[in-house]
Amino acid sequence: MTATASRPGSTGQRGRAERFARPVLLAFLLAAAVDLAGLLAGAETVHLVAKPLLMPLLAGYAALRGGPRVLVAALLFGWGGDVFLLADNDPAFLVGMASFAVGHVCYLTLFGRGEGRGRGPAPLVTGAGYAVVLVVFLVLIWPDLPADLRIPLTGYSLLLTATAWRAGVLGRYAAAGGALFLLSDALIATGIADWPQAPAPDFWVMLTYIAAQALLTLGALRALGALGASPAGAYRERGTSS
């Protein structure tokens, strides 16, 4: 018997929490729409207000759906990265990148738990493909990166690529989220390197980033159901008693 199941009323509490999940998800979608519209309109103030709301709302949704704490942590570290990257200077950028890096470690931990609960490992051929893409991209962009950012960006890129590859452990939605996360950060890197940009580059960065985090969250929550577990308990940290 699990510790959660042994507490009277825990099922009712979970049901009440899940009733709040949909409004929180709708708030996240609204904040995302406002942020993206603000970027298209060139309204920087709208972006400054809406962007910091995104990951806390998505983390709140994941928590209300009974998602694992490590997923919530990944989203909140993403929020830390979002906030620091709003500042237009190198020290804030490095701190934000470090926060995202910790978030990726959380995701990798989550994917490892997925394998431990019977899901198949990420295909090696997919990993090889991601490795080729990473090497080619770094070779091309390296000369155009600021010298003091080359090593940190390379280390972060390795971690992000590992996340993109391993995300497939949790199914197609998470796999798509991992790929979009890699694309979003590649767009940021091309901006840092002063490569030619598409119109409204910040819009495309945020669109792919928001979709990535949402798909990773959805993939994790769906994987719980696919394992035949309740959303509130399948990946929750071990707190069971016999």
Side-chain angles (χ1 to χ4, degrees):
M1 179 180 294
T2 65
T4 301
S6 66
R7 290 194 298 267
S10 61
T11 302
Q13 291 171 3
R14 185 164 65 243
R16 286 192 293 272
E18 289 185 355
R19 280 200 296 271
F20 289 102
R22 180 168 293 185
V24 172
L25 178 60
L26 291 175
F28 164 73
L29 294 174
L30 177 60
V34 169
D35 185 44
L36 294 172
L39 289 171
L40 283 177
E44 183 65 20
T45 301
V46 172
H47 179 59
L48 291 174
V49 172
K51 184 181 181 183
L53 299 176
L54 295 171
M55 291 306 107
L57 287 170
L58 189 56
Y61 170 72
L64 288 167
R65 285 293 312 278
R69 294 190 188 108
V70 70
L71 171 61
V72 175
L75 294 169
L76 292 179
F77 278 112
W79 170 73
D82 289 344
V83 171
F84 279 104
L85 262 60
L86 287 172
D88 189 18
N89 59 73
D90 286 350
F93 177 81
L94 288 172
V95 173
M97 187 167 58
S99 186
F100 275 120
V102 177
H104 288 304
V105 172
C106 291
Y107 274 127
L108 290 170
T109 301
L110 179 64
F111 303 151
R113 293 181 183 177
E115 280 191 356
R117 290 180 176 267
R119 301 194 66 87
L124 290 178
V125 65
T126 305
Y130 272 123
V132 170
V133 170
L134 174 64
V135 170
V136 171
F137 183 72
L138 287 176
V139 167
L140 292 174
I141 204 170
W142 184 271
D144 299 322
L145 290 173
D148 59 335
L149 292 180
R150 287 173 178 169
I151 299 302
L153 279 171
T154 299
Y156 176 75
S157 297
L158 288 168
L159 190 58
L160 175 57
T161 303
T163 297
W165 168 44
R166 296 276 291 151
V169 168
L170 297 185
R172 71 182 74 173
Y173 290 103
L180 285 172
F181 214 136
L182 189 62
L183 174 60
S184 181
D185 280 21
L187 293 174
I188 294 175
T190 61
I192 294 172
D194 288 327
W195 283 13
Q197 300 290 295
D202 289 342
F203 169 82
W204 296 109
V205 168
M206 285 304 299
L207 177 62
T208 50
Y209 169 69
I210 292 169
Q213 293 280 37
L215 285 168
L216 284 166
T217 301
L218 176 61
L221 295 175
R222 283 178 64 93
L224 303 184
L227 291 169
S230 69
Y235 281 133
R236 197 179 298 278
E237 280 70 21
R238 292 181 180 178
T240 62
S241 59
S242 299

